[in-house]
Amino acid sequence: MSRVLFALMVVLVVASCGKKDTSAPRNLDNACAILKEKPHFRRAFVSTKRKWGVPVSVQMAVLYQESKFIGDARTPHKYALGILPMGRQSSAYGYAQALDGTWDQYRRETRNRSAKRDNIKDATDFMGWYFNESRDRNGVSLSDARAQYLNYHEGHTGYARGNYRNKAWLVKVADDVASRAATYQSQLKSCSRLR
């Protein structure tokens, strides 16, 4: 009996090693709960803050908006005639919902060729790189969650042109991102040294 039990345990351990945890944290409204449940998120956020200077609360608010912290998130399918699937709405994938072309540019420019969009450390590093580009190109502060999100959604050129001004829904979403970043920032002060 002990051999069977041992073999079963080995199979379970090997099976659990093969699957990534890409599921969302249980309490998305509490930054402290997110970091407690997913300690690897904390390490990724801190690493990106140190390397790129992007506040943890801003990273978290954008990730919430883009994927609800789901590592293998994808955009919905498009349908022809309302029933025939025609592929995805865009190539956005992963925690940061990075598009194929932008992700490839990030990997080239940072020489991080093995980066994966469903890896939280790579996703936050991507956001740090992108937000620094927003600062350099469009003068957006790294702590300005609203403007950083608008750059992220519209692209640097679209933001510079002010494309978002004609999209009331997007401005509302950006306001929500800023509000969530402020909430997360307040929560982080009470649960850790993260700022």
Side-chain angles (χ1 to χ4, degrees), residues 114-174:
S114 63
K116 298 195 180 325
R117 290 182 276 185
D118 60 0
N119 178 306
I120 189 68
K121 187 170 186 336
D122 293 336
T124 60
D125 191 67
F126 167 80
M127 287 175 28
W129 167 80
Y130 196 91
F131 291 176
N132 273 265
E133 289 285 312
S134 299
R135 181 195 62 199
D136 296 347
R137 289 178 165 194
N138 292 326
V140 175
S141 167
L142 295 175
S143 60
D144 185 345
R146 181 183 186 277
Q148 284 290 355
Y149 184 74
L150 290 170
N151 265 275
Y152 200 73
H153 191 277
E154 294 297 281
H156 298 122
T157 303
Y159 178 85
R161 288 181 184 151
N163 292 354
Y164 61 91
R165 291 186 188 107
N166 298 323
K167 300 176 181 176
W169 64 270
L170 178 58
V171 171
K172 164 109 175 62
V173 170

Side-chain angles (χ1 to χ4, degrees), residues 105-121:
Q105 180 184 357
Y106 156 75
R107 292 191 318 167
R108 274 191 316 274
E109 290 185 11
T110 61
R111 294 191 174 106
N112 188 3
R113 303 236 184 252
S114 63
K116 298 195 180 325
R117 290 182 276 185
D118 60 0
N119 178 306
I120 189 68
K121 187 170 186 336

Side-chain angles (χ1 to χ4, degrees), residues 3-16:
R3 287 183 185 200
V4 171
L5 185 59
F6 178 75
L8 183 59
M9 287 175 42
V10 168
V11 167
L12 289 174
V13 168
V14 169
S16 69

Side-chain angles (χ1 to χ4, degrees), residues 1-189:
M1 182 72 171
S2 66
R3 287 183 185 200
V4 171
L5 185 59
F6 178 75
L8 183 59
M9 287 175 42
V10 168
V11 167
L12 289 174
V13 168
V14 169
S16 69
C17 292
K19 181 155 172 41
K20 279 187 193 176
D21 176 19
T22 57
S23 64
R26 286 185 293 278
N27 185 353
L28 298 177
D29 294 326
N30 187 309
C32 299
I34 292 168
L35 298 180
K36 184 175 181 182
E37 182 180 343
K38 307 271 188 176
H40 60 292
F41 281 21
R42 177 190 298 264
R43 290 188 296 274
F45 295 141
V46 169
S47 176
T48 295
K49 181 181 179 194
R50 285 184 185 140
K51 180 176 178 182
W52 298 104
V54 179
V56 172
S57 58
V58 174
Q59 296 174 56
M60 292 180 76
V62 172
L63 283 176
Y64 172 88
Q65 182 59 44
E66 289 299 289
S67 68
K68 304 294 187 277
F69 299 97
I70 297 171
D72 56 359
R74 294 184 184 274
T75 58
H77 286 282
K78 293 185 291 188
Y79 292 93
L81 304 174
I83 56 170
L84 301 172
M86 301 293 292
R88 301 270 177 193
Q89 290 178 0
S90 78
S91 64
Y93 175 73
Y95 287 108
Q97 288 294 283
L99 297 171
D100 289 350
T102 312
W103 187 259
D104 290 343
Q105 180 184 357
Y106 156 75
R107 292 191 318 167
R108 274 191 316 274
E109 290 185 11
T110 61
R111 294 191 174 106
N112 188 3
R113 303 236 184 252
S114 63
K116 298 195 180 325
R117 290 182 276 185
D118 60 0
N119 178 306
I120 189 68
K121 187 170 186 336
D122 293 336
T124 60
D125 191 67
F126 167 80
M127 287 175 28
W129 167 80
Y130 196 91
F131 291 176
N132 273 265
E133 289 285 312
S134 299
R135 181 195 62 199
D136 296 347
R137 289 178 165 194
N138 292 326
V140 175
S141 167
L142 295 175
S143 60
D144 185 345
R146 181 183 186 277
Q148 284 290 355
Y149 184 74
L150 290 170
N151 265 275
Y152 200 73
H153 191 277
E154 294 297 281
H156 298 122
T157 303
Y159 178 85
R161 288 181 184 151
N163 292 354
Y164 61 91
R165 291 186 188 107
N166 298 323
K167 300 176 181 176
W169 64 270
L170 178 58
V171 171
K172 164 109 175 62
V173 170
D175 289 340
D176 292 345
V177 170
S179 176
R180 181 166 293 273
T183 299
Y184 281 162
Q185 176 64 22
S186 177
Q187 293 167 345
L188 290 168
K189 287 178 184 175

